[in-house]
Amino acid sequence: MRKFPKTLPVAISLEHLPMTETDLKQICLDWEVLGFPFFRPAVVMDWKTETLPLGKSRLDLDLILKLRFWQSLSDWILPEWYSRKQTNQLTELLRDQIFSKDRENKPNSLSGLWNRFWNTPLSLIWLDLGFTKLRMDLDLEQDFFSNAIPLSFDGEKKLYFRTGYLKAIHYRLTKKEFKAPYPKFAELYIKTRDKHKDESLGGVYYSFIGYLLEKKSDEYLLSYWGFPSKLANYIRNQVPEEIWNFTNLTKTLLWKEKNLLGKELEFRTVYQVSTSSPNHLR
C-alpha cells in the first residue's frame, strides 16, 4: 500500500517589515508562549529575526503542517502546487497577524501570563537518567549569553548532556504521563564563566542551553509540553547522535527533577524516587 506524506515542511520569510527587530522579536516571543495559535494545526519549529536598514526587520519561520488524508493525497499528486499553496496561505496569515491593529496577543498580555502560569512544567520524572560530558568545537552566535562567556579549551567547548527516558511531566494541577516506548529526552549545558556588568568575571558554571529529543522531527512537541527552551536549529544540527547511545539499566530507576526554571546545573538537582515514596508513579 502506498504511503502518503503525513507532514509538510513550510518555510516563510517576510522582509522589510516596518518595525525594529526588537519590537518584532517581542511579538514573536509572546506568540511563542501561546504556541503560535493562529498557525494551528501547523507547528512552528524555529523562528529567527534579523535587523535591516532604515528601522526595518526580517522574520524567518520553519513550520511543520500535519496533513489529513485528502491533503496528503493532494501533496502526493501535485507536490509543488500544494506546497506553494500552503506556503502562500500561511504567509498571508502571518502578515495579517503582524499588521493587525487589534492583535490579541499583546506583549505580557493577561492571557499569555495565565497560560504560562498553568502550562509551565514544574518537575520531571526521568527513567534511567544518565549524563555525557564531551568537548567539541560548538559554533555559537556572538553574545549568545548576555551575562556569561562560554569557555574554550584548545578551541573546544565543554558540553554536558543529561539523557534518559521521559516518564512524566508535572504541572501545577495536572501531569502528563508517557507510555512505553518512552521518548528519549535530553538537556544540554555548556561550561561558562559569569560576566558582570562592570566587565569583571565571576564563577564557572554549566549553563543551561535547552531541551532536545532523539528525533529532531518530533521536537515541535516540546512547545506543546510547555518547554520554551528548544535548541535553535543551528545548535541542534551540531549535536552528535552518539549522545543517544544509552540502554536500559538492569534495574529501572526513576528520578525526579525539580526547579526546572534554574539556568545553571547546580540549581537543577535530581532526586531518586523510591517505590515506597508518595511521589512514585504507579
Side-chain angles (χ1 to χ4, degrees), residues 66-112:
K66 293 184 178 180
L67 302 179
R68 297 177 180 175
F69 174 75
W70 292 110
Q71 294 172 323
S72 299
L73 182 60
S74 299
D75 184 39
W76 181 74
I77 296 175
L78 298 169
E80 293 185 8
W81 171 84
Y82 189 77
S83 177
R84 184 168 60 252
K85 175 186 175 183
Q86 294 299 324
T87 300
N88 291 340
Q89 288 180 352
L90 292 172
T91 301
E92 288 304 314
L93 184 59
L94 175 62
R95 195 187 304 274
D96 290 343
Q97 288 293 320
I98 289 178
F99 293 107
S100 173
K101 295 181 180 179
D102 301 317
R103 205 165 37 236
E104 295 181 1
N105 306 321
K106 295 181 180 179
N108 299 320
S109 65
L110 183 60
S111 61

mmCIF file of all heavy atoms in Angstrom, residues 66-112:
data_model
loop_
_atom_site.group_PDB
_atom_site.id
_atom_site.type_symbol
_atom_site.label_atom_id
_atom_site.label_comp_id
_atom_site.label_asym_id
_atom_site.label_seq_id
_atom_site.Cartn_x
_atom_site.Cartn_y
_atom_site.Cartn_z
ATOM 1 N N LYS A 66 0.670 19.326 9.686
ATOM 2 C CA LYS A 66 0.117 17.974 9.687
ATOM 3 C C LYS A 66 -0.952 17.869 8.602
ATOM 4 O O LYS A 66 -1.820 18.740 8.490
ATOM 5 C CB LYS A 66 -0.482 17.644 11.053
ATOM 6 C CG LYS A 66 0.540 17.530 12.167
ATOM 7 C CD LYS A 66 -0.130 17.115 13.461
ATOM 8 C CE LYS A 66 0.875 16.955 14.577
ATOM 9 N NZ LYS A 66 0.241 16.546 15.865
ATOM 10 N N LEU A 67 -0.888 16.793 7.822
ATOM 11 C CA LEU A 67 -1.794 16.622 6.690
ATOM 12 C C LEU A 67 -2.836 15.542 6.969
ATOM 13 O O LEU A 67 -2.503 14.473 7.482
ATOM 14 C CB LEU A 67 -0.998 16.246 5.432
ATOM 15 C CG LEU A 67 0.102 17.229 4.986
ATOM 16 C CD1 LEU A 67 0.792 16.696 3.749
ATOM 17 C CD2 LEU A 67 -0.481 18.611 4.718
ATOM 18 N N ARG A 68 -4.083 15.845 6.634
ATOM 19 C CA ARG A 68 -5.131 14.824 6.642
ATOM 20 C C ARG A 68 -5.037 14.020 5.342
ATOM 21 O O ARG A 68 -4.225 14.317 4.464
ATOM 22 C CB ARG A 68 -6.498 15.485 6.792
ATOM 23 C CG ARG A 68 -6.651 16.240 8.117
ATOM 24 C CD ARG A 68 -7.976 16.945 8.200
ATOM 25 N NE ARG A 68 -8.122 17.670 9.448
ATOM 26 C CZ ARG A 68 -9.152 18.452 9.748
ATOM 27 N NH1 ARG A 68 -10.139 18.606 8.855
ATOM 28 N NH2 ARG A 68 -9.202 19.088 10.910
ATOM 29 N N PHE A 69 -5.909 13.013 5.220
ATOM 30 C CA PHE A 69 -5.771 12.093 4.092
ATOM 31 C C PHE A 69 -5.859 12.810 2.758
ATOM 32 O O PHE A 69 -4.994 12.646 1.889
ATOM 33 C CB PHE A 69 -6.849 11.014 4.168
ATOM 34 C CG PHE A 69 -6.857 10.106 2.953
ATOM 35 C CD1 PHE A 69 -5.880 9.134 2.799
ATOM 36 C CD2 PHE A 69 -7.819 10.272 1.961
ATOM 37 C CE1 PHE A 69 -5.866 8.319 1.668
ATOM 38 C CE2 PHE A 69 -7.805 9.462 0.832
ATOM 39 C CZ PHE A 69 -6.832 8.489 0.687
ATOM 40 N N TRP A 70 -6.901 13.631 2.562
ATOM 41 C CA TRP A 70 -7.070 14.286 1.267
ATOM 42 C C TRP A 70 -5.977 15.308 1.016
ATOM 43 O O TRP A 70 -5.578 15.549 -0.134
ATOM 44 C CB TRP A 70 -8.454 14.927 1.172
ATOM 45 C CG TRP A 70 -9.560 13.924 1.137
ATOM 46 C CD1 TRP A 70 -10.486 13.668 2.102
ATOM 47 C CD2 TRP A 70 -9.822 12.997 0.073
ATOM 48 N NE1 TRP A 70 -11.327 12.647 1.725
ATOM 49 C CE2 TRP A 70 -10.946 12.206 0.472
ATOM 50 C CE3 TRP A 70 -9.244 12.753 -1.173
ATOM 51 C CZ2 TRP A 70 -11.474 11.214 -0.333
ATOM 52 C CZ3 TRP A 70 -9.780 11.752 -1.971
ATOM 53 C CH2 TRP A 70 -10.873 10.996 -1.552
ATOM 54 N N GLN A 71 -5.485 15.934 2.079
ATOM 55 C CA GLN A 71 -4.360 16.851 1.927
ATOM 56 C C GLN A 71 -3.102 16.092 1.520
ATOM 57 O O GLN A 71 -2.328 16.547 0.672
ATOM 58 C CB GLN A 71 -4.134 17.609 3.233
ATOM 59 C CG GLN A 71 -5.266 18.546 3.615
ATOM 60 C CD GLN A 71 -5.086 19.122 5.004
ATOM 61 O OE1 GLN A 71 -4.621 18.433 5.922
ATOM 62 N NE2 GLN A 71 -5.459 20.378 5.177
ATOM 63 N N SER A 72 -2.881 14.932 2.158
ATOM 64 C CA SER A 72 -1.728 14.099 1.798
ATOM 65 C C SER A 72 -1.800 13.655 0.345
ATOM 66 O O SER A 72 -0.793 13.634 -0.371
ATOM 67 C CB SER A 72 -1.662 12.871 2.714
ATOM 68 O OG SER A 72 -1.503 13.238 4.054
ATOM 69 N N LEU A 73 -3.020 13.311 -0.089
ATOM 70 C CA LEU A 73 -3.212 12.877 -1.470
ATOM 71 C C LEU A 73 -2.890 14.022 -2.431
ATOM 72 O O LEU A 73 -2.210 13.826 -3.449
ATOM 73 C CB LEU A 73 -4.648 12.389 -1.664
ATOM 74 C CG LEU A 73 -4.989 11.842 -3.055
ATOM 75 C CD1 LEU A 73 -4.116 10.640 -3.394
ATOM 76 C CD2 LEU A 73 -6.469 11.485 -3.125
ATOM 77 N N SER A 74 -3.357 15.228 -2.107
ATOM 78 C CA SER A 74 -3.071 16.393 -2.957
ATOM 79 C C SER A 74 -1.576 16.675 -3.017
ATOM 80 O O SER A 74 -1.032 16.992 -4.080
ATOM 81 C CB SER A 74 -3.813 17.620 -2.421
ATOM 82 O OG SER A 74 -5.214 17.414 -2.425
ATOM 83 N N ASP A 75 -0.915 16.543 -1.874
ATOM 84 C CA ASP A 75 0.522 16.779 -1.830
ATOM 85 C C ASP A 75 1.280 15.733 -2.633
ATOM 86 O O ASP A 75 2.301 16.026 -3.254
ATOM 87 C CB ASP A 75 0.994 16.786 -0.374
ATOM 88 C CG ASP A 75 2.468 17.133 -0.242
ATOM 89 O OD1 ASP A 75 2.933 18.009 -0.988
ATOM 90 O OD2 ASP A 75 3.149 16.527 0.612
ATOM 91 N N TRP A 76 0.787 14.512 -2.629
ATOM 92 C CA TRP A 76 1.452 13.432 -3.370
ATOM 93 C C TRP A 76 1.267 13.590 -4.867
ATOM 94 O O TRP A 76 2.187 13.361 -5.655
ATOM 95 C CB TRP A 76 0.900 12.088 -2.908
ATOM 96 C CG TRP A 76 1.536 10.920 -3.596
ATOM 97 C CD1 TRP A 76 2.778 10.414 -3.392
ATOM 98 C CD2 TRP A 76 0.935 10.126 -4.628
ATOM 99 N NE1 TRP A 76 3.005 9.343 -4.228
ATOM 100 C CE2 TRP A 76 1.891 9.138 -4.987
ATOM 101 C CE3 TRP A 76 -0.299 10.130 -5.255
ATOM 102 C CZ2 TRP A 76 1.629 8.192 -5.966
ATOM 103 C CZ3 TRP A 76 -0.562 9.188 -6.229
ATOM 104 C CH2 TRP A 76 0.401 8.226 -6.581
ATOM 105 N N ILE A 77 0.060 14.039 -5.304
ATOM 106 C CA ILE A 77 -0.227 14.175 -6.730
ATOM 107 C C ILE A 77 0.433 15.419 -7.312
ATOM 108 O O ILE A 77 1.067 15.382 -8.374
ATOM 109 C CB ILE A 77 -1.757 14.229 -6.961
ATOM 110 C CG1 ILE A 77 -2.400 12.903 -6.530
ATOM 111 C CG2 ILE A 77 -2.058 14.510 -8.429
ATOM 112 C CD1 ILE A 77 -3.920 12.913 -6.608
ATOM 113 N N LEU A 78 0.293 16.550 -6.593
ATOM 114 C CA LEU A 78 0.847 17.827 -7.081
ATOM 115 C C LEU A 78 1.676 18.472 -5.977
ATOM 116 O O LEU A 78 1.242 19.452 -5.355
ATOM 117 C CB LEU A 78 -0.281 18.764 -7.523
ATOM 118 C CG LEU A 78 -1.159 18.291 -8.684
ATOM 119 C CD1 LEU A 78 -2.378 19.186 -8.820
ATOM 120 C CD2 LEU A 78 -0.358 18.293 -9.987
ATOM 121 N N PRO A 79 2.862 17.955 -5.704
ATOM 122 C CA PRO A 79 3.627 18.430 -4.550
ATOM 123 C C PRO A 79 4.031 19.901 -4.633
ATOM 124 O O PRO A 79 3.924 20.631 -3.657
ATOM 125 C CB PRO A 79 4.856 17.508 -4.533
ATOM 126 C CG PRO A 79 4.955 16.969 -5.925
ATOM 127 C CD PRO A 79 3.552 16.872 -6.417
ATOM 128 N N GLU A 80 4.505 20.353 -5.807
ATOM 129 C CA GLU A 80 4.938 21.738 -5.925
ATOM 130 C C GLU A 80 3.765 22.692 -5.781
ATOM 131 O O GLU A 80 3.851 23.714 -5.083
ATOM 132 C CB GLU A 80 5.640 21.955 -7.265
ATOM 133 C CG GLU A 80 6.970 21.218 -7.385
ATOM 134 C CD GLU A 80 7.692 21.567 -8.673
ATOM 135 O OE1 GLU A 80 7.224 22.496 -9.384
ATOM 136 O OE2 GLU A 80 8.710 20.916 -8.970
ATOM 137 N N TRP A 81 2.656 22.389 -6.441
ATOM 138 C CA TRP A 81 1.473 23.253 -6.365
ATOM 139 C C TRP A 81 0.929 23.302 -4.951
ATOM 140 O O TRP A 81 0.621 24.378 -4.439
ATOM 141 C CB TRP A 81 0.395 22.739 -7.312
ATOM 142 C CG TRP A 81 -0.924 23.447 -7.133
ATOM 143 C CD1 TRP A 81 -1.293 24.632 -7.698
ATOM 144 C CD2 TRP A 81 -2.024 23.001 -6.334
ATOM 145 N NE1 TRP A 81 -2.560 24.972 -7.286
ATOM 146 C CE2 TRP A 81 -3.044 23.990 -6.444
ATOM 147 C CE3 TRP A 81 -2.251 21.879 -5.533
ATOM 148 C CZ2 TRP A 81 -4.267 23.875 -5.787
ATOM 149 C CZ3 TRP A 81 -3.470 21.761 -4.877
ATOM 150 C CH2 TRP A 81 -4.455 22.749 -5.000
ATOM 151 N N TYR A 82 0.832 22.144 -4.282
ATOM 152 C CA TYR A 82 0.253 22.110 -2.938
ATOM 153 C C TYR A 82 1.159 22.810 -1.933
ATOM 154 O O TYR A 82 0.689 23.558 -1.065
ATOM 155 C CB TYR A 82 0.013 20.667 -2.506
ATOM 156 C CG TYR A 82 -0.771 20.573 -1.223
ATOM 157 C CD1 TYR A 82 -2.148 20.781 -1.203
ATOM 158 C CD2 TYR A 82 -0.134 20.304 -0.016
ATOM 159 C CE1 TYR A 82 -2.867 20.717 -0.029
ATOM 160 C CE2 TYR A 82 -0.845 20.239 1.166
ATOM 161 C CZ TYR A 82 -2.207 20.445 1.150
ATOM 162 O OH TYR A 82 -2.927 20.392 2.320
ATOM 163 N N SER A 83 2.481 22.600 -2.053
ATOM 164 C CA SER A 83 3.410 23.256 -1.142
ATOM 165 C C SER A 83 3.360 24.773 -1.306
ATOM 166 O O SER A 83 3.352 25.526 -0.320
ATOM 167 C CB SER A 83 4.831 22.757 -1.399
ATOM 168 O OG SER A 83 5.758 23.430 -0.574
ATOM 169 N N ARG A 84 3.303 25.234 -2.567
ATOM 170 C CA ARG A 84 3.223 26.674 -2.830
ATOM 171 C C ARG A 84 1.907 27.255 -2.301
ATOM 172 O O ARG A 84 1.881 28.358 -1.719
ATOM 173 C CB ARG A 84 3.354 26.932 -4.324
ATOM 174 C CG ARG A 84 3.376 28.406 -4.689
ATOM 175 C CD ARG A 84 3.800 28.617 -6.128
ATOM 176 N NE ARG A 84 2.898 27.946 -7.067
ATOM 177 C CZ ARG A 84 3.219 26.851 -7.762
ATOM 178 N NH1 ARG A 84 4.416 26.307 -7.618
ATOM 179 N NH2 ARG A 84 2.354 26.299 -8.582
ATOM 180 N N LYS A 85 0.831 26.514 -2.446
ATOM 181 C CA LYS A 85 -0.469 26.967 -1.954
ATOM 182 C C LYS A 85 -0.461 27.123 -0.444
ATOM 183 O O LYS A 85 -0.905 28.155 0.099
ATOM 184 C CB LYS A 85 -1.551 25.965 -2.374
ATOM 185 C CG LYS A 85 -2.928 26.279 -1.804
ATOM 186 C CD LYS A 85 -3.915 25.171 -2.143
ATOM 187 C CE LYS A 85 -5.255 25.428 -1.455
ATOM 188 N NZ LYS A 85 -6.220 24.318 -1.712
ATOM 189 N N GLN A 86 0.053 26.130 0.271
ATOM 190 C CA GLN A 86 0.086 26.186 1.736
ATOM 191 C C GLN A 86 1.030 27.284 2.224
ATOM 192 O O GLN A 86 0.739 27.978 3.200
ATOM 193 C CB GLN A 86 0.503 24.827 2.308
ATOM 194 C CG GLN A 86 -0.500 23.717 2.065
ATOM 195 C CD GLN A 86 -1.848 24.014 2.698
ATOM 196 O OE1 GLN A 86 -1.931 24.597 3.775
ATOM 197 N NE2 GLN A 86 -2.915 23.612 2.018
ATOM 198 N N THR A 87 2.163 27.442 1.543
ATOM 199 C CA THR A 87 3.110 28.488 1.929
ATOM 200 C C THR A 87 2.474 29.863 1.788
ATOM 201 O O THR A 87 2.607 30.728 2.669
ATOM 202 C CB THR A 87 4.384 28.406 1.077
ATOM 203 O OG1 THR A 87 4.993 27.127 1.270
ATOM 204 C CG2 THR A 87 5.374 29.496 1.469
ATOM 205 N N ASN A 88 1.768 30.081 0.673
ATOM 206 C CA ASN A 88 1.114 31.376 0.460
ATOM 207 C C ASN A 88 0.033 31.632 1.509
ATOM 208 O O ASN A 88 -0.101 32.750 2.022
ATOM 209 C CB ASN A 88 0.508 31.427 -0.943
ATOM 210 C CG ASN A 88 1.558 31.479 -2.037
ATOM 211 O OD1 ASN A 88 2.700 31.845 -1.784
ATOM 212 N ND2 ASN A 88 1.193 31.094 -3.240
ATOM 213 N N GLN A 89 -0.741 30.609 1.843
ATOM 214 C CA GLN A 89 -1.803 30.777 2.834
ATOM 215 C C GLN A 89 -1.235 31.117 4.208
ATOM 216 O O GLN A 89 -1.732 32.029 4.888
ATOM 217 C CB GLN A 89 -2.651 29.505 2.911
ATOM 218 C CG GLN A 89 -3.548 29.279 1.703
ATOM 219 C CD GLN A 89 -4.365 28.015 1.815
ATOM 220 O OE1 GLN A 89 -4.184 27.196 2.728
ATOM 221 N NE2 GLN A 89 -5.283 27.825 0.872
ATOM 222 N N LEU A 90 -0.195 30.392 4.616
ATOM 223 C CA LEU A 90 0.409 30.650 5.923
ATOM 224 C C LEU A 90 1.121 32.002 5.953
ATOM 225 O O LEU A 90 1.133 32.684 6.982
ATOM 226 C CB LEU A 90 1.375 29.522 6.278
ATOM 227 C CG LEU A 90 0.730 28.158 6.543
ATOM 228 C CD1 LEU A 90 1.792 27.081 6.696
ATOM 229 C CD2 LEU A 90 -0.149 28.207 7.791
ATOM 230 N N THR A 91 1.716 32.383 4.823
ATOM 231 C CA THR A 91 2.378 33.691 4.758
ATOM 232 C C THR A 91 1.370 34.816 4.923
ATOM 233 O O THR A 91 1.612 35.787 5.659
ATOM 234 C CB THR A 91 3.126 33.846 3.425
ATOM 235 O OG1 THR A 91 4.103 32.811 3.302
ATOM 236 C CG2 THR A 91 3.820 35.198 3.350
ATOM 237 N N GLU A 92 0.223 34.715 4.239
ATOM 238 C CA GLU A 92 -0.811 35.742 4.365
ATOM 239 C C GLU A 92 -1.384 35.767 5.777
ATOM 240 O O GLU A 92 -1.697 36.830 6.317
ATOM 241 C CB GLU A 92 -1.925 35.487 3.350
ATOM 242 C CG GLU A 92 -1.522 35.781 1.923
ATOM 243 C CD GLU A 92 -1.015 37.212 1.754
ATOM 244 O OE1 GLU A 92 -1.662 38.143 2.274
ATOM 245 O OE2 GLU A 92 0.043 37.386 1.111
ATOM 246 N N LEU A 93 -1.492 34.591 6.391
ATOM 247 C CA LEU A 93 -1.984 34.525 7.769
ATOM 248 C C LEU A 93 -1.022 35.234 8.708
ATOM 249 O O LEU A 93 -1.443 36.005 9.594
ATOM 250 C CB LEU A 93 -2.148 33.058 8.178
ATOM 251 C CG LEU A 93 -2.755 32.782 9.553
ATOM 252 C CD1 LEU A 93 -4.143 33.382 9.661
ATOM 253 C CD2 LEU A 93 -2.801 31.282 9.812
ATOM 254 N N LEU A 94 0.274 35.017 8.523
ATOM 255 C CA LEU A 94 1.275 35.682 9.345
ATOM 256 C C LEU A 94 1.262 37.188 9.107
ATOM 257 O O LEU A 94 1.344 37.983 10.052
ATOM 258 C CB LEU A 94 2.660 35.110 9.029
ATOM 259 C CG LEU A 94 3.848 35.787 9.728
ATOM 260 C CD1 LEU A 94 3.742 35.636 11.235
ATOM 261 C CD2 LEU A 94 5.164 35.194 9.232
ATOM 262 N N ARG A 95 1.147 37.585 7.851
ATOM 263 C CA ARG A 95 1.135 39.009 7.524
ATOM 264 C C ARG A 95 -0.060 39.706 8.188
ATOM 265 O O ARG A 95 0.059 40.805 8.732
ATOM 266 C CB ARG A 95 1.079 39.187 6.005
ATOM 267 C CG ARG A 95 1.418 40.601 5.541
ATOM 268 C CD ARG A 95 1.164 40.718 4.040
ATOM 269 N NE ARG A 95 1.897 39.716 3.300
ATOM 270 C CZ ARG A 95 3.146 39.871 2.895
ATOM 271 N NH1 ARG A 95 3.788 40.989 3.184
ATOM 272 N NH2 ARG A 95 3.756 38.921 2.219
ATOM 273 N N ASP A 96 -1.227 39.034 8.169
ATOM 274 C CA ASP A 96 -2.416 39.612 8.798
ATOM 275 C C ASP A 96 -2.214 39.790 10.298
ATOM 276 O O ASP A 96 -2.658 40.784 10.882
ATOM 277 C CB ASP A 96 -3.633 38.717 8.541
ATOM 278 C CG ASP A 96 -4.074 38.749 7.080
ATOM 279 O OD1 ASP A 96 -3.669 39.686 6.366
ATOM 280 O OD2 ASP A 96 -4.796 37.832 6.662
ATOM 281 N N GLN A 97 -1.549 38.811 10.926
ATOM 282 C CA GLN A 97 -1.326 38.891 12.372
ATOM 283 C C GLN A 97 -0.367 40.021 12.726
ATOM 284 O O GLN A 97 -0.556 40.725 13.715
ATOM 285 C CB GLN A 97 -0.777 37.553 12.888
ATOM 286 C CG GLN A 97 -1.789 36.429 12.911
ATOM 287 C CD GLN A 97 -2.889 36.649 13.919
ATOM 288 O OE1 GLN A 97 -2.640 37.131 15.027
ATOM 289 N NE2 GLN A 97 -4.105 36.289 13.562
ATOM 290 N N ILE A 98 0.681 40.181 11.934
ATOM 291 C CA ILE A 98 1.675 41.217 12.223
ATOM 292 C C ILE A 98 1.076 42.612 12.079
ATOM 293 O O ILE A 98 1.324 43.509 12.895
ATOM 294 C CB ILE A 98 2.902 41.057 11.310
ATOM 295 C CG1 ILE A 98 3.694 39.808 11.711
ATOM 296 C CG2 ILE A 98 3.803 42.288 11.381
ATOM 297 C CD1 ILE A 98 4.902 39.547 10.843
ATOM 298 N N PHE A 99 0.249 42.801 11.034
ATOM 299 C CA PHE A 99 -0.274 44.136 10.749
ATOM 300 C C PHE A 99 -1.668 44.377 11.321
ATOM 301 O O PHE A 99 -2.263 45.415 11.060
ATOM 302 C CB PHE A 99 -0.285 44.372 9.239
ATOM 303 C CG PHE A 99 1.084 44.438 8.639
ATOM 304 C CD1 PHE A 99 1.569 43.397 7.868
ATOM 305 C CD2 PHE A 99 1.909 45.526 8.873
ATOM 306 C CE1 PHE A 99 2.842 43.448 7.315
ATOM 307 C CE2 PHE A 99 3.185 45.582 8.331
ATOM 308 C CZ PHE A 99 3.652 44.547 7.549
ATOM 309 N N SER A 100 -2.160 43.412 12.088
ATOM 310 C CA SER A 100 -3.472 43.598 12.702
ATOM 311 C C SER A 100 -3.394 44.677 13.776
ATOM 312 O O SER A 100 -2.535 44.657 14.649
ATOM 313 C CB SER A 100 -3.965 42.283 13.316
ATOM 314 O OG SER A 100 -5.152 42.502 14.052
ATOM 315 N N LYS A 101 -4.308 45.640 13.723
ATOM 316 C CA LYS A 101 -4.337 46.708 14.725
ATOM 317 C C LYS A 101 -4.877 46.211 16.057
ATOM 318 O O LYS A 101 -4.651 46.818 17.103
ATOM 319 C CB LYS A 101 -5.190 47.876 14.220
ATOM 320 C CG LYS A 101 -4.607 48.572 12.994
ATOM 321 C CD LYS A 101 -5.487 49.742 12.573
ATOM 322 C CE LYS A 101 -4.891 50.433 11.351
ATOM 323 N NZ LYS A 101 -5.739 51.568 10.900
ATOM 324 N N ASP A 102 -5.644 45.128 15.994
ATOM 325 C CA ASP A 102 -6.260 44.597 17.217
ATOM 326 C C ASP A 102 -5.661 43.240 17.554
ATOM 327 O O ASP A 102 -6.369 42.271 17.799
ATOM 328 C CB ASP A 102 -7.779 44.460 17.044
ATOM 329 C CG ASP A 102 -8.427 45.783 16.710
ATOM 330 O OD1 ASP A 102 -8.052 46.781 17.349
ATOM 331 O OD2 ASP A 102 -9.304 45.813 15.831
ATOM 332 N N ARG A 103 -4.325 43.170 17.521
ATOM 333 C CA ARG A 103 -3.653 41.911 17.790
ATOM 334 C C ARG A 103 -4.004 41.408 19.176
ATOM 335 O O ARG A 103 -3.870 42.112 20.177
ATOM 336 C CB ARG A 103 -2.137 42.106 17.677
ATOM 337 C CG ARG A 103 -1.412 40.833 17.339
ATOM 338 C CD ARG A 103 0.006 41.078 16.883
ATOM 339 N NE ARG A 103 0.671 42.146 17.571
ATOM 340 C CZ ARG A 103 1.219 43.201 16.973
ATOM 341 N NH1 ARG A 103 1.132 43.338 15.681
ATOM 342 N NH2 ARG A 103 1.834 44.124 17.670
ATOM 343 N N GLU A 104 -4.492 40.173 19.261
ATOM 344 C CA GLU A 104 -4.930 39.625 20.545
ATOM 345 C C GLU A 104 -3.768 39.365 21.478
ATOM 346 O O GLU A 104 -3.867 39.578 22.676
ATOM 347 C CB GLU A 104 -5.699 38.311 20.319
ATOM 348 C CG GLU A 104 -7.009 38.521 19.561
ATOM 349 C CD GLU A 104 -7.736 37.216 19.383
ATOM 350 O OE1 GLU A 104 -7.210 36.187 19.879
ATOM 351 O OE2 GLU A 104 -8.805 37.202 18.779
ATOM 352 N N ASN A 105 -2.651 38.921 20.930
ATOM 353 C CA ASN A 105 -1.519 38.518 21.761
ATOM 354 C C ASN A 105 -0.568 39.679 21.968
ATOM 355 O O ASN A 105 0.485 39.774 21.364
ATOM 356 C CB ASN A 105 -0.783 37.335 21.098
ATOM 357 C CG ASN A 105 -1.723 36.212 20.801
ATOM 358 O OD1 ASN A 105 -2.610 35.928 21.594
ATOM 359 N ND2 ASN A 105 -1.556 35.589 19.658
ATOM 360 N N LYS A 106 -0.948 40.615 22.817
ATOM 361 C CA LYS A 106 -0.115 41.767 23.104
ATOM 362 C C LYS A 106 0.978 41.373 24.084
ATOM 363 O O LYS A 106 0.821 40.441 24.872
ATOM 364 C CB LYS A 106 -0.974 42.893 23.684
ATOM 365 C CG LYS A 106 -2.003 43.420 22.690
ATOM 366 C CD LYS A 106 -2.810 44.539 23.312
ATOM 367 C CE LYS A 106 -3.851 45.055 22.304
ATOM 368 N NZ LYS A 106 -4.677 46.138 22.895
ATOM 369 N N PRO A 107 2.128 42.075 24.068
ATOM 370 C CA PRO A 107 3.210 41.748 24.983
ATOM 371 C C PRO A 107 2.728 41.723 26.426
ATOM 372 O O PRO A 107 2.017 42.626 26.876
ATOM 373 C CB PRO A 107 4.226 42.879 24.735
ATOM 374 C CG PRO A 107 3.957 43.307 23.320
ATOM 375 C CD PRO A 107 2.478 43.158 23.143
ATOM 376 N N ASN A 108 3.107 40.647 27.130
ATOM 377 C CA ASN A 108 2.773 40.488 28.537
ATOM 378 C C ASN A 108 1.268 40.555 28.774
ATOM 379 O O ASN A 108 0.807 41.070 29.792
ATOM 380 C CB ASN A 108 3.471 41.554 29.386
ATOM 381 C CG ASN A 108 4.973 41.460 29.283
ATOM 382 O OD1 ASN A 108 5.530 40.375 29.264
ATOM 383 N ND2 ASN A 108 5.634 42.596 29.180
ATOM 384 N N SER A 109 0.457 40.083 27.800
ATOM 385 C CA SER A 109 -0.981 40.105 27.971
ATOM 386 C C SER A 109 -1.380 39.181 29.112
ATOM 387 O O SER A 109 -0.677 38.247 29.481
ATOM 388 C CB SER A 109 -1.671 39.656 26.678
ATOM 389 O OG SER A 109 -1.352 38.301 26.400
ATOM 390 N N LEU A 110 -2.560 39.454 29.682
ATOM 391 C CA LEU A 110 -3.036 38.659 30.811
ATOM 392 C C LEU A 110 -3.224 37.200 30.419
ATOM 393 O O LEU A 110 -2.887 36.295 31.181
ATOM 394 C CB LEU A 110 -4.355 39.251 31.330
ATOM 395 C CG LEU A 110 -4.958 38.567 32.559
ATOM 396 C CD1 LEU A 110 -3.996 38.642 33.737
ATOM 397 C CD2 LEU A 110 -6.286 39.216 32.926
ATOM 398 N N SER A 111 -3.751 36.963 29.193
ATOM 399 C CA SER A 111 -3.958 35.580 28.751
ATOM 400 C C SER A 111 -2.641 34.843 28.609
ATOM 401 O O SER A 111 -2.528 33.658 28.939
ATOM 402 C CB SER A 111 -4.722 35.555 27.428
ATOM 403 O OG SER A 111 -3.992 36.219 26.425
ATOM 404 N N GLY A 112 -1.605 35.571 28.107
ATOM 405 C CA GLY A 112 -0.299 34.937 27.962
ATOM 406 C C GLY A 112 0.306 34.566 29.302
ATOM 407 O O GLY A 112 0.851 33.473 29.477
#
